[in-house]
């Protein structure tokens, strides 16, 4: 008999827990079924397979990350793009450290037409773009800055999670300096020379719907 209360959200909850414990790429329907004490076919009454579970974990993780970033910015309590950017960076790293498996799931891009996943991703981007706008970055400049920020943060937290920082110097200090360097660098991208041309070259053409 299937376990009472077994449902899609309950299965995703357990999958998210297992992802943090064992790794997102090691999710297994068989292990999830064992946890609930049911036969594997019983799970298929509630989910369409492993890919559906992985998608559920991805959506859950992006929603949680979005909430973490928005809450961090709200706690800053002032219109200060630099402080908000540092808060975003700290929250991003904090989530990746607390939930390594779920964080790995956030890297998956939403499938076109998956409204729930796209909405969760839009909240993350909305917080980041609002913070960049406070620093005078909009349009293509904001897209470039968001990509640079994501690349820097993802690279750091991935190396940290994999034990890639073996030297004795303080990792927290290194992270703070990385964020400060990104902040200082992107702070110059919206500066325009007299006459409207962007300093350092002409305006970039084109754009992107997402980073």
């Amino acid at each position: 008999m299937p376990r009472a209360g077994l449902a899609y959200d309950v299965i995703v909850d357990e999958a998210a827990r297992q992802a943090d414990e064992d790794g997102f790429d090691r999710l297994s329907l068989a292990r999830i079924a064992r946890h609930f004490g049911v036969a594997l076919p019983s799970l298929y009454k509630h989910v369409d397979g492993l890919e559906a579970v992985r998608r559920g974990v991805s959506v859950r993780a992006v929603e949680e990350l979005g909430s973490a970033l928005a809450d961090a910015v709200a706690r800053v309590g002032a219109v200060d793009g630099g402080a908000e950017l540092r808060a975003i960076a700290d929250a991003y790293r904090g989530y990746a450290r607390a939930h390594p498996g779920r964080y790995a799931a956030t890297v998956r891009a939403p499938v076109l037409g998956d409204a729930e996943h796209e909405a969760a991703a839009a909240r993350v981007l909305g917080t980041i773009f609002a913070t960049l706008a406070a620093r005078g970055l909009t349009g293509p400049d904001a897209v470039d800055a968001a990509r640079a920020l994501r690349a820097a943060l993802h690279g750091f937290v991935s190396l940290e999670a994999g034990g890639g920082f073996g030297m004795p110097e303080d990792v927290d200090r290194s992270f703070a300096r990385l964020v400060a360097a990104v902040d200082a660098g992107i702070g110059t991208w919206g500066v325009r020379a007299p006459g409207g041309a962007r300093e350092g070259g002409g305006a970039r053409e084109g754009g992107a719907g997402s980073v």
Side-chain angles (χ1 to χ4, degrees), residues 44 50 79 88 135 144 179 197:
Y44 285 95
L50 180 59
V79 181
I88 284 174
R135 296 190 54 71
D144 290 344
V179 175

Side-chain angles (χ1 to χ4, degrees), residues 170-196:
D170 185 4
V171 177
D172 290 342
R173 183 187 65 191
S174 298
F175 183 74
R177 287 183 164 180
L178 171 68
V179 175
V182 173
D183 185 29
I186 66 177
T188 68
W189 294 358
V191 177
R192 295 180 182 274

Side-chain angles (χ1 to χ4, degrees), residues 33-205:
R34 284 197 300 273
H35 170 81
F36 290 116
V38 300
L40 182 58
S42 296
L43 290 185
Y44 285 95
K45 297 179 181 179
H46 307 283
V47 297
D48 292 331
L50 180 59
E51 185 57 30
V53 173
R54 288 167 63 86
R55 176 261 177 198
V57 174
S58 294
V59 174
R60 178 75 53 83
V62 175
E63 289 174 340
E64 291 175 348
L65 180 60
S67 294
L69 300 189
D71 291 347
V73 169
R75 285 194 297 270
V76 172
V79 181
D80 179 344
E84 291 173 354
L85 192 70
R86 292 189 293 274
I88 284 174
D90 287 340
Y92 188 101
R93 183 188 180 205
Y95 185 81
R97 295 174 79 179
H99 302 291
R102 293 183 221 193
Y103 171 72
T106 68
V107 178
R108 288 165 57 101
V111 174
L112 186 63
D114 187 336
E116 185 181 17
H117 199 170
E118 289 175 344
R123 186 183 184 195
V124 173
L125 289 176
T127 298
I128 292 173
F129 282 138
T131 298
L132 294 173
R135 296 190 54 71
L137 295 167
T138 59
D141 289 328
V143 173
D144 290 344
R147 287 173 173 166
L149 178 64
R150 183 188 185 196
L153 296 180
H154 177 67
F156 193 100
V157 302
S158 297
L159 286 168
E160 185 173 34
F165 298 133
M167 299 183 74
E169 281 72 16
D170 185 4
V171 177
D172 290 342
R173 183 187 65 191
S174 298
F175 183 74
R177 287 183 164 180
L178 171 68
V179 175
V182 173
D183 185 29
I186 66 177
T188 68
W189 294 358
V191 177
R192 295 180 182 274
R198 188 175 289 109
E199 289 184 352
R204 286 189 53 187
E205 296 183 357

